[in-house]
Amino acid sequence: MEDLVWTTLIRALAFGTPILLAGLGEIFAERSGVVNLGVEGMMALGALAAFAVAQSTGLPLLGLAAAVLAGAVAAALFAVAAVSLRANQYVAGLALTMLGLGLAGLLGKPFEGAPLAHTLSETSLMALALLLALALWFVLRHTYWGLVLRSAGENPETVDAMGINVFSVRYAAVVFGGAMAGLAGAFLSLAYRPSWADGITSGLGWIAVALAIFASWHPLRAVVAALFFGALYHLSYRLQAQVTPELLKAMPYLFVVLVLSLSALGRGPSGAPEALGTPYERGERR
Amino acid sequence: MRKVFLTVLVVLLGVFGWAQGDKLKACWIYVGPVGDYGWSHAHDQGRIAAAKALPWLETQYVESVPEAQAEAYMDRLVKQGCQVIFATSFGYMDSVLAAAKKHPNVIFAHATGFKRAPNVATYMADFYQLYYLNGLMAGALTKSNKVGYVGAFPIPELKRHISAFALGVRAVNPDAKVLVRWIYEWYNPAAAKEATEALIADGADVFAFTEDSPTVIQVAAEKGLPSFSHYSPMQRFAPDYVVSGQLVHWDKIYIDFLSKVYAGVYTPKNLQNVDYWWLLPQGAVELGGKFGEPINPKFIPVLKAKVVDHPVFGKISVYDLVMKELALMKDDELAFDPFQGPVKDRHGKLRVPAGLRMTKQQLESMEWAAPGVAGPWPNEPK
């Protein structure tokens, strides 16, 4: 029993790391008022960039940097459409997911099945994710820039009135979110399962989007949520003989629906940014 | 001038037409990407080998074709001049039959299926003999008496393979168990990884799997545990930890089939009973995690050191046993078979009476589990 708890915790941490990283990024983007459903696509691009660079240079840390860059560039592309051009954020995000997955699959052909000589350790990235969660919570909660970011998501008009450019704030948040999704991808292709293959993200990006909501956009609650989702995932294999695996795997989504329903009833933590999903336009009244 | 031009055109057309007539165009439809290192990759290797071996063969392929769209893709391939179409996923079955009806002069061949028509043949290269041999080695190598198996879907094909594997494990190690976990996907590295971690946590120390990525091998190798390669030559992902495995040679079937089409033996009218079920004797499958190497030399000493008391061969090392039974099965399908009766299922019910073997049909629809298999087993007959 003790062994079951211990191994489940370890595995929950490992599996929780990519969804925590990407989820933290999504929390930042959404806190600034932009829903980016392109997490899955950015994660795939990050995973490929990390693997391609690490494999050809032999330097996994350079791969990590490449992943961050790839995710950020993809997110910037999304931001042009969703922030500057005020396109529908949901549609633009879905497009980014499809584009990212397709592009990564296409460009990744030469790397399929290639071995990786130098990998990163799961543990160090797990620790990094936990530290990042703590740091991001601090930034969001206790710094001026955190306040500005949150305001951009709650009441962009006020931010604008303060003389701060809402677009720049949102760009920064979205690009940062992309960088985090790229990092999550790098964890997959350099540490979790060092290799590249089309479809390596297998839906983790969507769990990260769900995580942002489940954690009610709070970086520290995101850690708990990631552990919880990770534990459910591990247990769906561990307890396969006792519990239907489909049920355990559907849990993350079930819980998201539950949290959303509870907050709609006004009984649970919600914290959804007021202006979430609404493109900002100067001088327009809501 | 115009006359000259016309003459040239006619001559060119003539030459082109003649060249066309002498060629045979075969096309492949894959369910996954050719780079997935699993099922579709292996079929594509078969296509490439066939194109190399047959100078008159022209090939084309489409990858990642969803099962619901297969028919439209087949129509397109026919329009592009494909005379033979290989549909390489079980789920294409009904689309193949529908397309075959629409295009009666085109030859279709469907991998793993069981529905045929005058212009639809079926084919399969099966691994169950190799799984048994892998099982012998796994049974000899496990110290915890727990062998882990990560399976994709609980369908007859996997049940047959896992049962053959478990029979092998038990043949050399009557106390061992095969712990099975399903991931309900053909390709999902994250799921395969967590399933392997779960098996490790439950004490398994040797691994085999049916999934299209080398994940299980990599995860086991990180912990220093041996595993068996599946389908593609995956030994290179962990050269020190992969013991053996199963390899496929689809090219053997493709070359045989296409040569017979080219020679006029197979026509769009006589395929109703053409069903390839190719095993070791036909060279369609090979033992190993690397072509040309049935057992990783690193594991030969320990397999030679493990001696068991075999009912037929007496005292024999597991290494010799594997090689002997491999030679027997290669030589003649009738010499030895993993499902040689009497075989009971895990609840003690007699499934194959003494002196009998399972028919191909029984193997293809097998749902019961062999003794030693532990874990969920959907649709298990009572």
Side-chain angles (χ1 to χ4, degrees), chain A residues 23-46:
Chain A
L24 286 170
E26 183 66 8
I27 286 175
F28 257 59
E30 295 197 3
R31 270 295 176 106
S32 82
V34 183
V35 176
N36 186 352
L37 296 184
V39 182
E40 179 89 2
M42 299 186 294
M43 213 192 247
L45 286 171

Side-chain angles (χ1 to χ4, degrees), chain A residues 17 20-21 24 64 122-134 183:
Chain A
T17 298
L20 177 60
L21 287 169
L24 286 170
L64 206 67
E122 252 182 19
T123 334
S124 57
L125 286 173
M126 273 149 66
L128 177 72
L130 292 176
L131 286 177
L132 272 172
L134 204 65
L183 197 59

Side-chain angles (χ1 to χ4, degrees), chain B residues 168-182:
Chain B
V169 168
R170 280 278 170 112
V172 298
N173 189 344
D175 301 323
K177 272 188 194 167
V178 178
L179 310 181
V180 181
R181 294 288 177 275
W182 306 102

Side-chain angles (χ1 to χ4, degrees), chain B residues 55-288:
Chain B
W56 39 263
L57 182 70
E58 196 186 321
T59 71
Q60 189 184 334
Y61 72 87
V62 273
E63 58 182 332
S64 302
V65 175
E67 284 162 357
Q69 289 169 26
E71 198 179 332
Y73 274 95
M74 284 185 255
D75 287 344
R76 216 177 76 194
L77 289 177
V78 170
K79 261 193 208 128
Q80 290 171 353
C82 300
Q83 295 151 287
V84 180
I85 293 178
F86 293 102
T88 62
S89 177
F90 181 78
Y92 293 157
M93 183 143 63
D94 292 326
S95 314
V96 169
L97 284 147
K101 213 168 215 174
K102 262 191 280 179
H103 310 287
N105 293 319
V106 177
I107 288 178
F108 291 83
H110 180 217
T112 74
F114 52 82
K115 289 186 188 166
R116 280 178 296 279
N119 61 336
V120 180
T122 49
Y123 63 100
M124 176 68 174
D126 200 75
F127 284 144
Y128 78 93
Q129 300 168 313
L130 302 180
Y131 268 103
Y132 179 82
L133 299 177
N134 285 172
L136 293 174
M137 293 181 256
L141 291 172
T142 177
K143 294 188 184 90
S144 64
N145 284 344
K146 285 176 185 164
V147 179
Y149 198 107
V150 177
F153 288 97
I155 57 171
E157 184 186 328
L158 269 80
K159 289 178 175 174
R160 168 172 83 239
H161 291 165
I162 296 170
S163 286
F165 183 73
L167 287 172
V169 168
R170 280 278 170 112
V172 298
N173 189 344
D175 301 323
K177 272 188 194 167
V178 178
L179 310 181
V180 181
R181 294 288 177 275
W182 306 102
I183 61 171
Y184 293 93
E185 244 160 316
W186 286 116
Y187 176 82
N188 187 336
K193 164 134 183 171
E194 283 317 316
T196 312
E197 293 282 359
L199 286 166
I200 291 172
D202 282 339
D205 64 353
V206 181
F207 296 85
F209 64 100
T210 306
E211 195 254 352
D212 281 346
S213 79
T215 306
V216 177
I217 291 174
Q218 291 174 320
V219 176
E222 266 169 39
K223 306 259 167 25
L225 299 172
S227 58
F228 290 84
S229 159
H230 171 66
Y231 216 75
S232 285
M234 294 180 175
Q235 192 161 311
R236 60 201 192 83
F237 288 100
D240 292 340
Y241 297 104
V242 172
V243 184
S244 181
Q246 324 93 42
L247 295 161
V248 71
H249 288 278
W250 288 111
D251 51 312
K252 302 275 185 210
I253 293 181
Y254 289 138
I255 290 171
D256 184 86
F257 189 86
L258 289 167
S259 303
K260 284 178 178 159
V261 172
Y262 193 67
V265 179
Y266 291 156
T267 70
K269 294 190 172 54
N270 66 3
L271 301 178
Q272 188 74 55
N273 294 316
V274 174
D275 178 23
Y276 284 66
W277 171 256
W278 278 22
L279 308 167
L280 275 170
Q282 295 85 5
V285 295
E286 180 182 333
L287 182 70

Side-chain angles (χ1 to χ4, degrees), chain A residues 198-227:
Chain A
D198 197 3
I200 191 170
T201 49
S202 55
L204 290 179
W206 293 110
I207 298 190
V209 173
L211 178 109
I213 304 167
F214 183 61
S216 52
W217 298 272
H218 191 296
L220 292 185
R221 273 186 224 138
V223 176
V224 181
L227 277 175

Side-chain angles (χ1 to χ4, degrees), chain B residues 129-130 279-283 285-287 294 323-333 335-336:
Chain B
Q129 300 168 313
L130 302 180
L279 308 167
L280 275 170
Q282 295 85 5
V285 295
E286 180 182 333
L287 182 70
M323 293 319 246
K324 210 162 216 170
E325 293 188 329
L326 175 64
L328 282 176
M329 288 193 280
K330 234 189 222 170
D331 194 39
D332 180 5
E333 266 176 71
F336 174 78

